[in-house]
């Protein structure tokens, strides 16, 4: 994945550093939920036959929450945002990073 930062002039006082992403690229979503197996099955459905890879990241100290990584090839910013919104809308998902 290639990331390039450049400043965008948003007015006389605002300079925002915007990252340029070259597509297609591998993108990593960190997905947190309470039911580890349900979360894993859901991510497998979303990844489908694509080049998606699911890996365990971490569990909370009490074991109530679990974090899985979903690494998948995205072909555009629209696809990247669509997958993010799809993950975020799932009832078993608490947080998507």
């Amino acid at each position: 994945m290639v990331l390039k930062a450049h400043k965008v002039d948003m007015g006389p006082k605002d300079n925002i550093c915007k990252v340029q992403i070259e597509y297609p690229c591998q993108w990593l979503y960190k997905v947190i939920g309470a039911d580890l197996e349900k979360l894993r099955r859901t991510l497998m459905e979303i990844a489908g036959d694509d080049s998606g890879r699911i890996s365990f990241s971490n569990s909370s100290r009490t074991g109530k929450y679990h974090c899985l990584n979903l690494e998948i090839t995205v072909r555009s910013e629209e696809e990247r945002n669509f997958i993010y919104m799809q993950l975020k809308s799932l009832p078993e998902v608490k947080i998507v990073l």
Side-chain angles (χ1 to χ4, degrees):
M1 171 171 37
V2 178
L3 301 174
K4 296 179 184 175
H6 70 281
K7 290 200 177 206
V8 177
D9 189 7
M10 303 295 287
K13 295 182 183 179
D14 298 323
N15 280 326
I16 297 174
C17 189
K18 185 173 180 176
V19 175
Q20 293 282 16
I21 303 169
E22 292 184 20
Y23 295 97
C25 66
Q26 289 294 109
W27 197 261
L28 179 71
Y29 299 92
K30 290 191 143 316
V31 185
I32 300 171
D35 187 329
L36 181 60
E37 287 311 310
K38 192 179 227 183
L39 196 59
R40 187 182 309 276
R41 281 193 306 273
T42 300
L43 294 183
M44 287 171 57
E45 288 175 16
I46 288 174
D49 294 347
D50 278 351
S51 59
R53 197 176 92 217
I54 300 164
S55 60
F56 179 78
S57 177
N58 202 1
S59 289
S60 65
R61 185 177 54 215
T62 61
K64 184 175 179 180
Y65 295 104
H66 310 280
C67 181
L68 294 176
N69 295 324
L70 171 61
E71 188 173 354
I72 192 166
T73 301
V74 293
R75 292 161 190 80
S76 66
E77 182 175 359
E78 292 79 18
E79 183 179 31
R80 180 176 55 86
N81 290 332
F82 176 78
I83 294 169
Y84 172 81
M85 295 306 290
Q86 190 178 18
L87 290 168
K88 194 174 170 183
S89 70
L90 297 169
E92 58 270 22
V93 173
K94 302 296 180 195
I95 298 172
V96 179
L97 304 171

